[in-house]
Amino acid sequence: MNYPCLYAAPFGDITLIFDNQQNLIELKLHGKPEHAPYPLPDVWRQKLDAYFSGRLKNFNHPISKQGTVFQQKVWQAIADIPAGQVLTYQDIARKIGSHPRAVGGACGKNPLALVVPCHRVVAKQGLGGFSSGNGNALAIKHWLLQHEGVNI
């Protein structure tokens, strides 16, 4: 059984989904209280509070094992991007021997948004895409990058 929880971020509610051992298996940058009835574990509330207050820069959380080998390779490259920095889809593609569109597709499948910081992956010029956050995804990506000190 999965346990969805809600966290009130500065840009709106975040949904975190845990398994029965309280392992984080998904983080979505949107949510509704009626879809997340369980209390958020204190350790994750503290981590998110620290991130949004600027005290925590990187979550240092393992990537998801749910994806393909290729997706996991992309997610690991994303997890290695330090706060306050960005890489382009092309940068990551070169790093792992792939194509920017394939990297973008894997970014869109990242189940641990924010924790594996796909918001730090941008286009050659501008923000690029972002599949987290429903209709306000690009506004959330922009907010997160500004919060981390990146001006795009």
Side-chain angles (χ1 to χ4, degrees):
M1 181 171 167
N2 293 338
Y3 298 91
C5 308
L6 215 57
Y7 178 84
F11 51 77
D13 290 333
I14 293 176
T15 302
L16 295 91
I17 302 174
F18 298 88
D19 65 16
N20 57 359
Q21 279 91 39
Q22 291 199 345
N23 296 310
L24 179 65
I25 57 174
E26 193 170 354
L27 189 150
K28 302 176 189 179
L29 298 178
H30 56 85
K32 294 183 179 178
E34 62 269 21
H35 297 138
Y38 297 96
L40 183 64
D42 286 339
V43 66
W44 278 97
R45 180 171 312 285
Q46 292 167 4
K47 286 180 184 185
L48 291 166
D49 287 347
Y51 173 78
F52 286 113
S53 71
R55 295 186 323 269
L56 178 69
K57 302 297 182 191
N58 294 299
F59 287 89
N60 298 319
H61 190 275
I63 63 169
S64 175
K65 303 294 184 208
Q66 296 177 23
T68 66
V69 170
F70 174 76
Q71 289 169 336
Q72 290 178 11
K73 188 184 279 190
V74 171
W75 299 338
Q76 187 58 60
I78 293 168
D80 293 340
I81 304 170
Q85 296 181 29
V86 294
L87 290 178
T88 65
Y89 298 99
Q90 187 170 11
D91 292 334
I92 293 175
R94 284 186 183 138
K95 185 177 186 176
I96 65 169
S98 184
H99 189 275
R101 285 184 191 251
V103 169
C107 285
K109 301 286 185 188
N110 174 16
L112 296 173
L114 187 63
V115 173
V116 176
C118 50
H119 61 277
R120 297 179 189 157
V121 183
V122 298
K124 278 188 197 178
Q125 296 184 4
L127 285 177
F130 198 52
S131 61
S132 295
N134 287 346
N136 60 344
L138 287 179
I140 292 172
K141 182 174 185 172
H142 187 258
W143 190 97
L144 290 169
L145 289 172
Q146 281 195 317
H147 173 68
E148 294 180 357
V150 177
N151 292 314
I152 289 190

